[in-house]
Amino acid sequence: MAYFKNEAQKANFVQLEEETLGLWEREKTFEYCVDRREAREKFVFVEGPPTANGRPHPGHILTRVVKDVVLRYKTMRGFYVERKAGWDTHGLPVEIEVEKELGTNSKREIEQYGIEKFNQRCKASVFRYEKEWVNATKRVGFWIDMDSPYITSDNEYIESVWWSLKEIWKKGLLYRGHKVVPYCPRCETTLSSHEVAQGYKEVDDLSIYVKFRLKQEKEQEPVFMLAWTTTPWTLFGNIALAVHPEHVYAKVKVKVNEKLEGGGGGKEKEEIFILAEARLDALEGEYKITERLRGKELEDKEYERLFDVPVVGESHKIITADFVTLEEGTGVVHIAPAFGEDDYGVCREKGLGFSQPVNSKGQFTGDVPSLEGVFVKDADKRIIEMLKQRGLLYKESTYLHPYPFCWRCGSPLLYYARESWFIGMKSLRDNLIANNEKINWYPTHLKYGRFGNFLESIEDWALSRERFWGTPLNIWICTGCGKEFCVGSIEELRDRAKNFVSSGLDLHRPYIDDVVLRCEECGGEMRRVKDVIDCWYDSGAAPFAQWHYPFENEEFKQNFPASFITEAIDQTRGWFYSLLAISTAIFDAAPYLNVLSLGHILDEKGVKMSKSKGNVVDITSIFNNEGADALRWYFFTTGPPWDDIRFSEPAIAERQKKFLNTLWNSYFFFVTYAGIDEFNPKEKEIPVEKRSAMDRWIMSRLNTLKKEVIGSLERFEIHLGARKIEDFVINDLSNWYIRRSRRRFWVTEENFDKDCAYLTLYEVLVSVCKLLAPFVPFITEHIYQNIVRVFPDEELESVHHCDYPSPDESLVEAKLEDSMDLVSKLVEAGRRARSDAGIKIRQPLKEVVVVCEKEKREEVGSLAGILKDELNVREVKFTDEGLKSEFVSAENYKQEEVDKETTLFLNISLDKRLIEEGLVRDLVRRIQGMRKDLDLEYTAKIRILYEGDEEVKEAIKTFSDYICAETLAVAIGEGKPSSSVSVKGEQIYEKNWRIGNKEVWLRVEAV
Ligand SMILES: [Zn+2]
Ligand SMILES: [Zn+2]
């Protein structure tokens, strides 16, 4: 009885994967895989929640399979690895999608539409593509519990977030501030610094040199301070000019062309400018320095305002500031406190006034009548025209620089003085840095590089958003006495509310806005601050909020900190940061111990895939064409997980052909012959040390491989682990072990050597299957089901329930591996020698002579048979240095260097018998080709007839036994039958061949 199911020679991977998914579903393989380790040590994973309001694209799938390979591996290594899915549901991205549907363009329009209806639409849209996400997640084989996910908009989740904010509030870290913050004029809300960091683009902005005239006596020649800016619109908020107190400034006479100043002519005249001496190359044409002075000598000089804009407080004088640099511009900095953080700070310090001529949509107010209602970034050209007309522009050019854009809607951000709620992260800087110390980063350079640098210059977290669909900020303020109160739970809300309705409780806006609290201070009414919070705070709260901690707290304590998280590199300033920030503020602890930062998916041209660029590949077509294993293998082997991947479907097909097909062929070879021989691995037991050198060698390689793969995976070098297995399967197993051992399986009678070969190949296949299971979970499950689970009494139901193979050091024979390595080098050298001499590999040769040290000779000696076969020579001789010169001078020896100590000499002289033998090998190859053309089974027997030149017939007679054995022929005879079929029939195939200069006719007939 055959134990193993027969397989098709060519695998149908897609079908195989779909069947495997069915098996997992029926047998609850995933659930059991997790549960059976419940008593074991935990390996804690936190899912970075995706949003399901867009379709999953290749980048999401990459993240999902990297998570999967690590979690499957850790499970097989014996850990208890729970996997709770999560969905990120709040925030601007969701609102923007709904706004597109509604066609609204401002907050006022949303309010007119109704916040209640608007938020209901947001809530509904969040799960629009949930089905696609669930399907893609299952199809790619990412095992995660999607039946009970955490959802950031659930009341319970919000309650945990509120609890955490209250903890922060109690520590005095949650405060309201007036600050210049990055602001999106379209979304009409502030952005946090980590959001800004994600949206920089290189842009060409106008840059202008503006002349500010110093106040002087009327008759004096005008003197201008020359300042430089890339944001002309901010000139309307100008309050001061800043110079560095210690730097040297020069007063220069400059030739200027009047034409520049907007009136005909083209006549040249001279003007006097003051700018930093180190920046004089900003001037064009000739100039003459008339005076040098230190910055502080300019302090307090007054200048004439550019535009007539109302200002509250003192203004329009020169101040000194240390932040003025000489790297660009003129060393004279235009200061507008409404539009710059440094500007705001220095004006407050110097007691200067303030001017805000721009409204919350980024448009000029009535303070600038000529530009009222114009969006500031659209006004630059008109402002330049206005300056030209008044002779206040020295020159203009464009300037390429990074400028921040809204990461969600793409609008240019403005720096803007706004009221906002902040978490005081600056004061926690040292704690953040200390907690980062406890984290292992992959790749390692991020720890002190991109991430570490970000922490060094951390800003307070601008937490509030003046928006609608988000976790409501849980702060109420008394309308009477101004007292502030932070609500930390639903119970607290109920206790303090004057009008709490508990049925159908929804903590979102607008309902929560109507809840009025009693002021404990004055008995007055407290109203909620209308803001919602940054959705990055929601996802950053996931470690505890997914467990509804502290309201139900047991799970959380066991699951903190996480052992492992992974997301794409853009999360260094997104989720990786928000997790650390919240965990540091509340627990002063690192929230995760290992973080793997992934590269992006680019298209074939190297451009990042994104919905807006329209270059996103539809992943379902990959599932239907190549399958999930091929996609996964492509992701894992293309490069380190932290490198970007240029996505290419042909490359996926290529990886499949190269690797998965080779794996399949090895497996197919085994089940085919094991079926014929009714081999049962359970009936035989032969210790490895009793087996042949070839068997011991592949077992040694296998155990070395196990050790290497585990080492790589422990360092999250998924690519190295995968490539090592690939190299083993293709080169060691398929191209060497199986190819070299084929004949051992072909012999028909039972013998010890055949048993050794079967046992060895079986053990290797089972181990490779387990090693590969986390990477390619489908094909490995399929193979496992057929060759392992077929013995149900002793074996686990799924390959994914098995332990990861650990190396058996006693089977590692380093010397044997070295010797085999040398043999394969000798084979390569021998082939080079043949090709140099123009002798093909099927032509047998007399001998090969290897000159090497005595020690090596003994090692390689036992493997001489392999060398003989591979090089197709009758004899392998070894000799030492002393006799080398003899061969060097002999004409019939071709020499090849193998390594420093080893040289190979190939005897290329031919005799009649060798020539006949070469001819026969050519014939055998053609007969095998004819078998293939007839689509004969591997094991089908044939009959051969031949006719041809005398030399050919003679050779066939001499080697007829050999030909029969090689081609599974039961008979071989001379002469054409009288009624010959001249074409390829059903089971008969006749053909004339030409081999070298000889003619031969062959007929192959299935028996
Ligand atoms: Zn925006
Ligand atoms: Zn009060």
Side-chain angles (χ1 to χ4, degrees):
M1 187 194 95
Y3 294 89
F4 312 118
K5 182 181 88 205
N6 271 326
E7 289 283 10
Q9 192 167 355
K10 199 172 175 313
N12 182 338
F13 292 108
V14 173
Q15 190 193 332
L16 169 164
E17 290 176 3
E18 278 159 4
E19 285 165 9
T20 304
L21 285 171
L23 175 85
W24 289 345
E25 192 94 41
R26 282 197 306 282
E27 301 198 336
K28 302 220 170 305
T29 313
F30 164 49
E31 289 78 355
Y32 185 58
C33 162
V34 176
D35 293 347
R36 62 188 295 276
R37 310 268 188 197
E38 204 170 341
R40 306 293 287 271
E41 193 187 331
K42 280 192 169 211
F43 182 82
V44 180
F45 167 70
V46 179
E47 162 76 334
T51 59
N53 74 330
R55 286 200 170 82
H57 70 65
H60 298 124
I61 300 299
L62 169 68
T63 314
R64 290 178 109 56
V65 301
V66 171
K67 288 170 182 173
D68 190 61
V69 70
V70 172
L71 302 183
R72 283 182 191 264
Y73 166 72
K74 286 292 177 182
T75 304
M76 290 181 80
R77 293 279 287 167
F79 289 93
Y80 177 42
V81 187
E82 284 180 286
R83 287 156 247 191
K84 193 179 181 66
W87 297 110
D88 197 13
T89 51
H90 279 149
L92 261 183
V94 184
E95 290 193 30
I96 286 170
E97 286 303 309
V98 172
E99 276 200 73
K100 276 187 203 156
E101 283 167 33
L102 294 174
T104 52
N105 239 327
S106 70
K107 279 164 64 181
R108 197 163 307 132
E109 282 173 50
I110 295 171
E111 276 156 6
Q112 275 161 7
Y113 176 78
I115 298 175
E116 185 174 10
K117 279 198 290 177
F118 182 79
N119 273 358
Q120 275 164 6
R121 272 180 171 265
C122 287
K123 194 174 180 178
S125 84
V126 167
F127 291 106
R128 179 166 306 156
Y129 296 105
E130 188 191 11
K131 216 178 105 201
E132 278 88 340
W133 274 87
V134 169
N135 288 346
T137 301
K138 284 189 175 165
R139 183 63 188 85
V140 83
F142 177 30
W143 273 356
I144 188 158
D145 174 13
M146 288 184 289
D147 296 332
S148 51
Y150 70 88
I151 298 168
T152 60
S153 56
D154 282 353
N155 277 347
E156 289 180 346
Y157 196 95
I158 291 175
E159 190 179 28
S160 286
V161 169
W162 277 9
W163 165 80
S164 70
L165 282 169
K166 179 150 194 174
E167 291 298 301
I168 292 171
W169 180 76
K170 284 196 289 197
K171 291 179 184 174
L173 290 169
L174 188 60
Y175 69 93
R176 176 163 51 168
H178 296 258
K179 260 192 155 179
V180 174
V181 284
Y183 179 85
C184 175
R186 202 223 65 99
C187 303
E188 289 185 60
T189 187
T190 53
L191 279 79
S192 63
S193 53
H194 47 271
E195 283 176 304
V196 175
Q198 292 178 56
Y200 275 93
K201 280 188 229 166
E202 287 285 319
V203 288
D204 257 328
D205 260 332
L206 285 167
S207 88
I208 56 172
Y209 290 79
V210 184
K211 292 147 63 175
F212 289 86
R213 183 173 177 174
L214 290 179
K215 281 191 177 162
Q216 297 156 297
E217 298 302 322
K218 272 250 155 52
E219 60 277 13
Q220 276 181 293
E221 209 182 337
V223 177
F224 296 100
M225 297 298 291
L226 195 64
W228 176 75
T229 180
T230 56
T231 48
W233 61 270
T234 62
L235 291 169
F236 288 94
N238 178 267
I239 292 294
L241 292 172
V243 294
H244 194 284
E246 300 307 325
H247 293 156
V248 177
Y249 286 78
K251 198 182 224 178
V252 289
K253 272 201 166 152
V254 184
K255 285 207 171 96
V256 293
N257 192 323
E258 272 198 321
K259 199 178 177 182
L260 240 181
E261 299 172 2
K267 196 174 76 195
E268 286 203 335
K269 67 169 189 178
E270 279 192 336
E271 282 190 333
I272 300 169
F273 294 159
I274 294 175
L275 69 161
E277 186 171 24
R279 298 299 307 164
L280 284 172
D281 54 6
L283 299 174
E284 288 176 341
E286 290 169 39
Y287 61 81
K288 203 170 91 200
I289 299 173
T290 61
E291 195 184 336
R292 283 188 177 82
L293 60 168
R294 295 236 170 243
K296 60 187 169 213
E297 295 174 61
L298 291 162
E299 195 167 5
D300 287 336
K301 282 190 195 296
E302 293 186 40
Y303 61 91
E304 289 171 10
R305 58 181 62 193
L306 291 181
F307 303 106
D308 201 14
V309 177
V311 176
V312 182
E314 201 185 341
S315 67
H316 299 96
K317 53 189 248 183
I318 297 173
I319 56 172
T320 57
D322 288 330
F323 61 72
V324 176
T325 69
L326 298 176
E327 275 149 34
E328 52 192 3
T330 61
V332 179
V333 176
H334 135 66
I335 300 290
F339 309 121
E341 201 178 342
D342 284 342
D343 306 38
Y344 186 85
V346 75
C347 285
R348 212 169 45 175
E349 189 191 314
K350 306 271 179 183
L352 292 176
F354 187 82
S355 164
Q356 176 51 292
V358 177
N359 69 18
S360 67
K361 293 194 184 70
Q363 300 159 341
F364 285 108
T365 63
D367 287 351
V368 185
S370 60
L371 291 169
E372 191 177 351
V374 177
F375 178 53
V376 295
K377 294 287 278 184
D378 297 334
D380 284 353
K381 288 233 161 72
R382 285 167 68 182
I383 295 165
I384 287 168
E385 208 45 52
M386 287 160 81
L387 291 170
K388 270 186 192 168
Q389 266 160 26
R390 292 154 59 196
L392 295 176
L393 185 76
Y394 171 59
K395 67 170 184 175
E396 62 177 300
S397 59
T398 54
Y399 172 71
L400 186 70
H401 68 146
Y403 191 88
F405 289 79
C406 177
W407 67 286
R408 274 300 162 187
C409 78
S411 303
L413 300 181
L414 306 178
Y415 282 83
Y416 212 89
R418 299 289 299 175
E419 184 184 296
S420 186
W421 288 83
F422 293 87
I423 301 176
M425 295 314 300
K426 247 181 179 166
S427 65
L428 296 174
R429 184 176 151 273
D430 292 347
N431 305 58
L432 287 168
I433 291 167
N435 288 331
N436 185 36
E437 275 304 320
K438 299 168 199 157
I439 299 169
N440 298 314
W441 280 85
Y442 303 90
T444 51
H445 63 81
L446 291 177
K447 180 168 181 163
Y448 301 113
R450 195 177 166 119
F451 194 69
N453 290 335
F454 180 63
L455 297 182
E456 290 287 344
S457 54
I458 202 65
E459 296 289 335
D460 283 353
W461 185 343
L463 182 74
S464 57
R465 297 287 179 275
E466 299 142 82
R467 297 293 308 189
F468 309 100
W469 177 241
T471 300
L473 184 62
N474 47 335
I475 290 176
W476 273 254
I477 294 174
C478 177
T479 50
C481 70
K483 189 165 168 66
E484 196 180 275
F485 183 70
C486 183
V487 171
S489 68
I490 293 168
E491 197 186 331
E492 205 166 45
L493 186 70
R494 186 183 296 127
D495 288 351
R496 295 285 296 259
K498 292 178 118 175
N499 55 343
F500 186 80
V501 187
S502 59
S503 69
L505 179 69
D506 182 345
L507 295 177
H508 287 98
R509 294 189 73 187
Y511 319 110
I512 195 70
D513 302 344
D514 297 336
V515 179
V516 177
L517 306 191
R518 263 184 334 273
C519 176
E520 288 194 330
E521 202 73 15
C522 73
E525 288 193 343
M526 299 185 107
R527 301 222 167 243
R528 197 184 73 82
V529 171
K530 288 283 181 283
D531 297 346
V532 297
I533 64 165
D534 184 359
C535 60
W536 291 103
Y537 190 98
D538 288 353
S539 52
F544 53 87
Q546 69 172 321
W547 303 112
H548 193 209
Y549 179 85
F551 307 100
E552 306 163 58
N553 70 36
E554 275 319 300
E555 285 101 326
F556 170 65
K557 283 180 183 160
Q558 300 157 17
N559 285 306
F560 188 87
S563 317
F564 167 73
I565 59 167
T566 182
E567 299 294 335
I569 179 85
D570 48 339
Q571 299 296 340
T572 40
R573 286 158 190 200
W575 193 55
F576 297 157
Y577 172 66
S578 68
L579 283 169
L580 179 67
I582 295 170
S583 168
T584 300
I586 299 170
F587 310 108
D588 194 17
Y592 44 86
L593 301 177
N594 295 289
V595 53
L596 171 58
S597 165
L598 305 177
H600 285 134
I601 300 277
L602 314 177
D603 67 13
E604 278 180 282
K605 294 189 196 93
V607 180
K608 194 185 161 192
M609 268 190 201
S610 73
K611 214 161 75 180
S612 58
K613 292 194 185 85
N615 59 353
V616 177
V617 170
D618 178 14
I619 207 78
T620 49
S621 79
I622 309 279
F623 293 145
N624 297 335
N625 296 337
E626 286 85 14
D629 278 342
L631 176 67
R632 293 172 67 115
W633 195 250
Y634 167 76
F635 279 149
F636 296 142
T637 52
T638 297
W642 40 87
D643 280 1
D644 290 345
I645 293 178
R646 278 190 189 210
F647 195 82
S648 147
E649 188 168 353
I652 297 170
E654 173 61 35
R655 312 291 314 149
Q656 179 175 61
K657 213 171 122 197
K658 189 173 159 203
F659 176 66
L660 292 178
N661 280 345
T662 307
L663 176 67
W664 182 265
N665 291 342
S666 304
Y667 159 68
F668 173 76
F669 177 88
F670 172 78
V671 288
T672 305
Y673 286 97
I676 295 164
D677 284 332
E678 298 181 1
F679 166 73
N680 178 352
K682 306 284 164 193
E683 285 167 358
K684 313 270 172 172
E685 205 175 321
I686 303 171
V688 173
E689 70 263 22
K690 296 234 168 81
R691 304 183 197 171
S692 74
M694 196 59 160
D695 296 335
R696 283 181 3 250
W697 170 76
I698 192 82
M699 291 303 279
S700 175
R701 285 287 305 121
L702 174 70
N703 283 285
T704 302
L705 174 74
K706 290 176 188 171
K707 198 170 155 186
E708 289 172 348
V709 172
I710 289 169
S712 298
L713 290 182
E714 290 297 323
R715 292 185 301 273
F716 301 100
E717 290 167 341
I718 298 161
H719 60 302
L720 296 184
R723 287 171 182 176
K724 278 169 193 151
I725 302 175
E726 178 169 291
D727 180 57
F728 176 84
V729 168
I730 295 177
N731 295 317
D732 295 340
L733 178 62
S734 173
N735 285 352
W736 197 250
Y737 180 79
I738 294 181
R739 190 172 60 77
R740 293 266 355 123
S741 306
R742 262 187 301 215
R743 282 159 211 283
R744 301 166 69 191
F745 296 91
W746 288 348
V747 290
T748 40
E749 67 280 3
E750 293 241 345
N751 71 26
F752 176 77
D753 183 60
K754 186 156 97 170
D755 286 344
C756 289
Y758 268 125
L759 276 177
T760 304
L761 181 54
Y762 181 75
E763 286 158 15
V764 171
L765 276 174
V766 172
S767 286
V768 164
C769 209
K770 291 177 186 174
L771 284 172
L772 276 172
F775 298 91
V776 280
F778 296 95
I779 186 174
T780 50
E781 183 74 292
H782 178 90
I783 296 175
Y784 182 89
Q785 293 296 319
N786 192 23
I787 66 172
V788 181
R789 202 184 166 193
V790 68
F791 307 106
D793 302 347
E794 301 168 47
E795 301 296 345
L796 293 162
E797 284 172 0
S798 163
V799 69
H800 304 288
H801 296 167
C802 298
D803 286 337
Y804 208 64
S806 49
D808 180 347
E809 299 282 354
S810 73
L811 296 180
V812 175
E813 297 183 59
K815 259 194 168 166
L816 180 60
E817 286 193 40
D818 287 347
S819 306
M820 193 66 90
D821 193 43
L822 182 59
V823 167
S824 89
K825 281 187 192 145
L826 285 166
V827 168
E828 278 171 40
R831 292 197 176 137
R832 280 200 305 274
R834 270 179 176 275
S835 104
D836 286 351
I839 301 170
K840 49 191 177 181
I841 192 71
R842 281 185 303 279
Q843 174 61 60
L845 292 174
K846 193 156 172 275
E847 63 173 358
V848 66
V849 180
V850 179
V851 179
C852 64
E853 290 166 352
K854 191 162 178 254
E855 202 182 301
K856 271 196 191 166
R857 221 185 298 163
E858 280 159 10
E859 280 175 35
V860 178
S862 65
L863 304 173
I866 298 172
L867 200 52
K868 208 167 105 181
D869 280 355
E870 287 292 321
L871 287 180
N872 195 11
V873 294
R874 293 243 175 83
E875 209 177 338
V876 178
K877 283 185 187 157
F878 291 93
T879 184
D880 52 36
E881 264 324 284
L883 292 169
K884 187 174 169 181
S885 56
E886 215 173 279
F887 297 100
V888 174
S889 56
E891 228 169 66
N892 57 336
Y893 283 92
K894 199 90 190 152
Q895 179 182 347
E896 280 290 335
E897 302 301 323
V898 178
D899 56 36
K900 265 190 221 137
E901 296 108 27
T902 318
T903 314
L904 171 144
F905 294 93
L906 185 70
N907 186 342
I908 54 170
S909 54
L910 294 170
D911 57 25
K912 180 174 178 250
R913 199 178 158 86
L914 285 172
I915 293 168
E916 275 185 349
E917 212 178 318
L919 195 58
V920 161
R921 292 205 184 208
D922 268 331
L923 280 169
V924 164
R925 195 174 69 97
R926 283 167 174 78
I927 295 166
Q928 270 154 351
M930 291 168 81
R931 286 184 58 107
K932 237 188 195 161
D933 285 349
L934 280 173
D935 279 333
L936 294 184
E937 291 283 320
Y938 257 143
T939 49
K941 302 276 194 258
I942 57 167
R943 238 194 311 266
I944 302 168
L945 288 179
Y946 65 90
E947 193 54 78
D949 293 345
E950 275 313 307
E951 293 101 314
V952 181
K953 292 201 282 193
E954 204 174 313
I956 291 176
K957 275 174 204 148
T958 315
F959 289 96
S960 62
D961 287 352
Y962 169 79
I963 297 171
C964 289
E966 287 294 305
T967 62
L968 300 185
V970 290
I972 183 162
E974 192 186 332
K976 291 189 185 180
S978 49
S979 63
S980 173
V981 198
S982 61
V983 288
K984 187 170 82 170
E986 266 300 287
Q987 293 287 287
I988 299 174
Y989 187 14
E990 297 177 359
K991 196 168 172 174
N992 287 306
W993 295 98
R994 200 177 171 80
I995 300 172
N997 55 356
K998 295 175 186 69
E999 300 280 350
V1000 60
W1001 170 89
L1002 288 173
R1003 166 177 160 131
V1004 169
E1005 183 184 348
V1007 180

